[in-house]
Amino acid sequence: MISCIDLKKIFELGRVIDTDSSNSYLHIAYKLKLKNYRIISNGELLIKGKDLLVPEYMKEFLRFHNEAIMIANIINDKVLSIVLRSINTKKEFQKVGTSKNMFYGLGMMDKNFKYGDPIILVEGHLDRDAMSQFYPNVLAITTNKLSNSQVKILRYLTNRFVLMLDSDSAGQSGIKDTLYKLKEFSIIEFKHEAQMKDCGDLIKLERTNPSEYEWVKLLYQAKVDTYIKEVMRK
């Protein structure tokens, strides 16, 4: 298993995202100045990382795609995992490090967060970062269903949740599963707008239809504020 120290060294090989892009991941990283996003190419990994312990499957991923976005899950300055997302080729992901049973976003929550404060649960990395514009305490499950270990972590964090999983069949299955696993807690399900599959679609909408995006953004902000207040009253 690759160590957090080695993961941090690999992540630091990447380039900081300092220009905007039509790519949703690069756009949200640039817009929100997310420090846990970087870009790395196959050449950069081979040359600058020649003395580092790099998993062979990561090398293979970059050999095939040539360039990728690195999304690091950082807690207390430790890089627990990195998700590679291809940029100019077929959309593919590669996980490096400890990602199983770990939430994405734990290290980016409000510093004043305390037990009893609501947490919004979403599926993916882009979902989490998109929703962080409206509320700081958002965690990505990184799949559609909570693992038993994740449920244990949530029990220590809070007893109030707003559930924002995807509106597709997998997301609906995950919603039922999560409602059951967290049945003893206060939980409210967030219904996406008809044209939205997930929270990440907000970023796509911002690029493709700015005027509609502004309206949907206001709507989502209002719904988040309402649901947070409602779950606090439960």
Side-chain angles (χ1 to χ4, degrees):
M1 178 66 69
I2 187 166
S3 71
C4 294
I5 295 173
D6 289 324
L7 278 173
K8 186 174 182 179
K9 290 178 180 177
I10 292 172
F11 179 69
E12 290 175 345
L13 296 176
R15 285 166 277 139
V16 174
I17 299 169
D18 55 8
T19 56
D20 204 354
S21 170
S22 60
N23 180 286
S24 294
Y25 290 84
L26 295 177
H27 172 67
I28 196 70
Y30 172 77
K31 179 182 178 181
L32 301 184
K33 296 179 173 56
L34 299 175
K35 296 180 180 179
N36 65 311
Y37 277 64
R38 292 199 178 186
I39 302 174
I40 191 167
S41 68
N42 181 46
E44 287 167 332
L45 183 67
L46 289 175
I47 296 171
K48 296 198 298 184
K50 60 183 177 63
D51 297 323
L52 299 183
L53 181 63
V54 181
E56 189 59 38
Y57 57 84
M58 180 177 181
K59 295 178 182 178
E60 183 62 33
F61 184 91
L62 281 169
R63 277 197 293 265
F64 182 81
H65 294 287
N66 188 46
E67 192 173 44
I69 301 164
M70 293 191 292
I71 307 173
N73 197 9
I74 304 173
I75 300 178
N76 295 329
D77 202 38
K78 291 184 178 180
V79 178
L80 301 185
S81 64
I82 297 172
V83 169
L84 300 172
R85 202 281 190 189
S86 58
I87 299 177
N88 298 314
T89 54
K90 181 181 177 182
K91 178 181 175 180
E92 290 187 357
F93 295 89
Q94 175 71 67
K95 295 181 179 181
V96 185
T98 305
S99 58
K100 187 178 181 181
N101 299 325
M102 183 54 64
F103 292 101
Y104 169 66
L106 267 176
M108 294 183 276
M109 294 174 67
D110 189 338
K111 292 180 180 180
N112 296 316
F113 177 85
K114 61 185 181 303
Y115 188 89
D117 290 346
I119 288 176
I120 294 178
L121 295 175
V122 297
E123 284 193 30
H125 294 72
L126 188 61
D127 299 330
R128 183 267 155 203
D129 293 331
M131 290 311 300
S132 71
Q133 300 175 90
F134 309 113
Y135 184 71
N137 302 317
V138 186
L139 297 179
I141 300 171
T142 70
T143 181
N144 68 316
K145 292 184 179 180
L146 288 168
S147 69
N148 291 332
S149 295
Q150 286 178 320
V151 171
K152 290 180 181 178
I153 293 171
L154 291 178
R155 291 183 197 280
Y156 284 104
L157 289 175
T158 192
N159 57 349
R160 296 185 174 98
F161 303 93
V162 175
L163 191 57
M164 291 188 67
L165 303 191
D166 295 2
S167 62
D168 59 12
S169 58
Q172 294 305 302
S173 175
I175 287 170
K176 292 179 182 178
D177 183 74
T178 302
L179 289 173
Y180 173 75
K181 288 177 177 175
L182 300 179
K183 60 182 179 293
E184 73 270 36
F185 295 135
S186 298
I187 184 166
I188 293 176
E189 180 188 347
F190 187 108
K191 298 287 187 180
H192 288 288
E193 294 304 298
Q195 73 271 38
M196 309 283 289
K197 181 182 80 70
D198 55 39
C199 309
D201 279 348
L202 279 169
I203 310 307
K204 299 173 188 175
L205 190 63
E206 183 179 5
R207 294 185 290 104
T208 60
N209 194 333
S211 59
E212 184 177 358
Y213 164 76
E214 289 301 327
W215 180 82
V216 175
K217 179 183 176 182
L218 288 173
L219 182 61
Y220 268 59
Q221 181 67 75
K223 290 177 73 172
V224 167
D225 292 344
T226 299
Y227 288 153
I228 292 297
K229 290 177 182 177
E230 186 176 340
V231 80
M232 285 292 290
R233 289 195 295 266
K234 283 193 171 186

